[in-house]
Structures are given as C-alpha cells and as structure tokens.
Amino acid sequence: MHAAQAFRSRASHDRHVSSRRAFLLQSASATGAVLAGAARLHGAAADLVAGMATAVVWPPAPTPVWTFGGTYPAPTLRVRSGERIDLTLRNDLPAPTNVHWHGLAVPADMDGHPADVVARGGSRHYGFRVDARAGTYWYHPHPHGQTAAQVYAGMAGFLIVEDEEERALGLPSGVHDVPLLLQDRRLRADRSFAYEPTLMDRMSGLLGDVAVANGLADLRLPVEAALYRLRLLNGCNARVLRVAFADGRRFLVVGTDGGLLAEAVSATSVDMGPGERVDVVVDLGGEAPGRSVSLVSLPFAAGGGMGMGSAQGAPLRLATLDVARPASARTALPGRLATLARLDGARARRTRTFDLTMGMMGTSAAINGRTFAADRVDVTVPMGDVEVWEVRNLTGEPHPFHVHATSFQVLDRSTARTLPPQDLGWKDTVLLWPGERVRIVLQFTAHRGLYVAHCHNLEHEDAGMVMNVLVD
Ligand code: C2O
Ligand code: CU
Ligand code: CU
C-alpha cells in the first residue's frame, strides 16, 4: 500500500461522520473503492464537521486542508435511493460555510443556497430523503463568494446513490467500482493549497498545473485485469477535462450526472466541465500484470487561462491504473442499461434565454446582464411546467452551466450535429464552449422554494454568474 494511502485509511478511522439512518460510509481512501474502514452506521448522533486538517497530497509531507469529516477528499457517502440523509454540520472553520448536495433535488432550506450559510462555530441539521436515480452525485460548500476557496482547500466528496434496478444489471461493483475525484492544483514551494487567485484567475478561473486525483498527486491505483466502473467527477474549480486513456483505448460511457444512460456508448474521450460526472466502464481484462494504463486529459483549444503551462486545454496525466493481478471475478456488460424517460422539448410551456457574459477583469460575470444579488429573484418557474432553456455563451471561454433542484436533458448544441455521449442522459451541469448555444429541457417537480442556477466555474460563480430561481 502506498504510504499516503496507509496514512489516509488510518485517518479515516477518526472520521466524524455518521448517520442516524443506515447508509454506507466509505473511507476517503485514495482508491475510493477500498471498503476497508467502511461501515454501516446506526443510531449514532450524526455529525459532519467542517474543519481544518492535513492530508498527504504530495508524499510524504502533509498539506493543510479544509475538510468535511476530517479527510480530503471528504468521506464518500453511499445511500440507497429512497433512504434519508440526516447529518448535523458543525462549522469549526474560520469562515461561514454550508453543504450543497450537487445533483439532488432536496427541499430549498436543505440545498445550501449561497446566502444560507452556517456561521463559524455554528451548526445546522441537514435532513432529507434522497429521491434520486442511482448515480454519482457529490457534495461541496456553497457560501457566496467563498465557494472557490473552500472547494480548492479540500472540501468535496462523493455521494453515491444506489438502487435495485442498477444492482440487477451486474455492473462492475465493489473493488471494481472506483469513484475518481479529478482536480487540479497549483504546485507551490510549500506544497500548500493556498488560494491566491490573480486578476487573470478571477477572470477566467483558477487553473492548477498538476492533477490531484482522490486527493493524491500522481495517483496510482493497483487494479485487477478486469472490467472497471470509473465514476469520474470533474471537481476542478475551472479546468475543463477531455478525459481519455493514454493508449487511446475505447471505453463505454454508461452514466452521466443523473445516473445510467439507456445503453452504453463507446468513446475514446469525453469532455467534462467542472461539476460534471461521467460513469465509464473500461476493460482491463486483456492486460498482463505489470502493465500500466494512464488516464489523461487530452490537449484541446479553448479560450481562457492564458497562463503558461497551466492554460485551459493543457494536457495532464490524471491517474495511472497499475494492473497488479488477474481478475478475481468476471463481469460482462449488459446491452441495455436503464429506462430513460424523455422530456419532450416540443411540449414545453415556454422557452427562456440565458446569456452568459463577462466584462473586463471578471468584474461583470453575469447572466442576462445581472450579477448575483441574494435577495433578487431572477426567474420564477411554475412547479411542474416543462420549459426549454436556451443558454448562450457570449464569451470566448467555456462555462459549465449548472441548475439546482432538478435534472435536465440536452436538446441540441449549436456547434455539434450529434450530441456527445455525456449529453445523452440526465444532467445537472452542461458545458458550453466559447460562443456556443445549448438548449436544455427541464421540469421542476420535487420542491417549491428558492434555488439557484449558475456557472460552475467556481471563480465565475463567486464573481456572481449566479441567478436565483424560484420554483413556485
Ligand atoms: Cu456544485 Cu451550485 O453547485
Ligand atoms: Cu448543484
Ligand atoms: Cu463561467
């Protein structure tokens, strides 16, 4: 075991998270899928402490981090669809914070609205039923103006929802189901996560020069020669990833933000904006022990981040899978995956247009000309109405557009004749390339109340590319 992984699993025994309800808590181990240290927790008072800690990102020296539950990444929460999450957030940080359950439709007062924060020293109960399809979701802080710094400092974790329909498919599971939190960090002499955005960073988003996966630079995962499900999460503040394998091998895209696709789609790369998840299945079955397969982000051209090596679109090695032993179990992939209800854009009650714009120096990151104001409702959407939202990127750099409180489907893109695999399922975040127009169809059906929609480039979000959405 890697020294940092050993450190990490020891640290996970001191975690402060538990649940009144039975849900599976995984240690935030570097492999993500290691179930050692995982436990079904019953009866205990549930605490999720937001506090400072250290984590080994670049072994052997520790890096000071801000955490949920004492670890970076935050503990992986596994919950069955229909079960409850009940946690009390205790804020031991020197700043206000909160929790947003990215991708879940929860009551508005549980959603971590940017203005609904827990003061330092305070605490707050988060309790709700998880009404979501099986899939890969995540949680992170969302205090207005401070989200970028807090996520960058280490506060992000997986929330994995499971259900019987998915289990019955026999997809790779257990050690063959690996959540991968993909982030980038700026390499500093003191190896700290100090968040010091330049003017350029505030404008285009802070890009790191090195990849950190599941909290480790140069993550190496010992794997079997078998099928693997990789739950990819782009947890970068601002970096768009074009995820591929270094040897160009094909893989199957099986899921998006909101769970499984109707059927698997073959691909050699997949684009992911910050906030997006893509579940893929890769076949390492033919590999001899001793082989290594790297997961990379391929180079591409896009606006923004004109810095040197760290520019948007720069190539990165994300993680390496080291084939260590033959398969312990055989899995085959089913042809059909899940039933995917389709929202019909032609049935929409109305179409709304949202223009994403930016002024010089990031001072006016805006949606429809407005910068976020916590007490102004920007859009009121009647509960249950099907709507088409036409989002237009009028800038020269990419923006991942994210909607709270419901999932949506992508209808079309102005720059693509056919939709890429990551657009084919339920989503809550969609990437807009420079100058692109994307039409999505959505329907709020879960809860009334005040939510937000925003750019998930966290520097843009903190600069106010956020709007209040009232579901009424
Ligand atoms: Cu992941 Cu409103 O955010
Ligand atoms: Cu969200
Ligand atoms: Cu943006």
Side-chain angles (χ1 to χ4, degrees), residues 420-442:
Q422 71 274 15
D423 284 353
L424 299 179
W426 286 104
K427 297 182 66 63
D428 52 64
T429 309
V430 63
L431 180 64
L432 285 99
W433 292 103
E436 193 175 31
R437 172 188 55 66
V438 174
R439 291 194 316 139
I440 62 176
V441 57
L442 77 182

Side-chain angles (χ1 to χ4, degrees), residues 277-423:
R277 289 86 67 209
V278 176
D279 279 20
V280 306
V281 171
V282 59
D283 189 1
L284 302 173
E287 302 306 328
R291 275 269 302 167
S292 291
V293 181
S294 288
L295 192 69
V296 299
S297 183
L298 298 174
F300 58 88
M306 279 98 81
M308 304 268 284
S310 67
Q312 188 68 280
L316 275 183
R317 192 176 68 219
L318 303 171
T320 303
L321 310 178
D322 293 319
V323 181
R325 52 191 176 271
S328 61
R330 266 277 140 215
T331 31
L333 197 69
R336 288 208 59 77
L337 295 170
T339 328
L340 207 65
R342 276 278 149 208
L343 282 180
D344 183 2
R347 269 186 44 229
R349 296 289 294 261
R350 63 191 68 78
T351 296
R352 300 178 196 266
T353 305
F354 298 106
D355 287 344
L356 310 180
T357 55
M358 294 178 54
M360 291 309 291
M361 297 312 178
T363 45
S364 52
I367 303 177
N368 284 349
R370 291 162 144 185
T371 292
F372 183 61
D375 51 5
R376 182 192 65 225
V377 173
D378 297 288
V379 188
T380 303
V381 184
M383 178 86 147
D385 278 9
V386 175
E387 300 198 344
V388 169
W389 288 13
E390 179 172 322
V391 189
R392 303 192 298 191
N393 177 359
L394 304 184
T395 78
E397 52 185 78
H399 301 275
F401 183 77
H402 171 51
V403 181
H404 286 214
T406 191
S407 296
F408 57 76
Q409 291 173 355
V410 178
L411 290 174
D412 47 48
R413 288 178 174 271
S414 60
T415 63
R417 212 195 277 263
T418 56
L419 293 175
Q422 71 274 15
D423 284 353

Side-chain angles (χ1 to χ4, degrees), residues 218-232:
D218 285 317
L219 174 67
R220 300 199 77 105
L221 284 172
V223 294
E224 297 178 354
L227 279 183
Y228 273 81
R229 176 180 189 171
L230 304 179
R231 299 174 185 263
L232 308 175

Side-chain angles (χ1 to χ4, degrees), residues 2-5 7-8 54-65 72 152-153 183-194 208-219 317:
H2 199 285
Q5 288 172 21
F7 175 90
R8 185 84 19 98
T54 57
V56 174
V57 178
W58 293 276
T63 292
V65 288
Y72 168 61
Y152 190 85
Q183 298 181 304
D184 59 346
R185 290 294 179 269
R186 212 156 263 184
L187 191 49
R188 300 169 58 98
D190 63 358
R191 311 217 142 178
S192 77
F193 279 3
D209 2 77
V210 293
V212 172
N214 288 352
L216 272 176
D218 285 317
L219 174 67
R317 192 176 68 219

Side-chain angles (χ1 to χ4, degrees), residues 112-136:
H113 184 278
D116 188 10
V117 299
V118 180
R120 52 185 295 189
S123 64
R124 167 69 177 275
H125 177 248
Y126 287 95
F128 50 86
R129 203 177 67 205
V130 177
D131 287 315
R133 300 179 79 224
T136 305

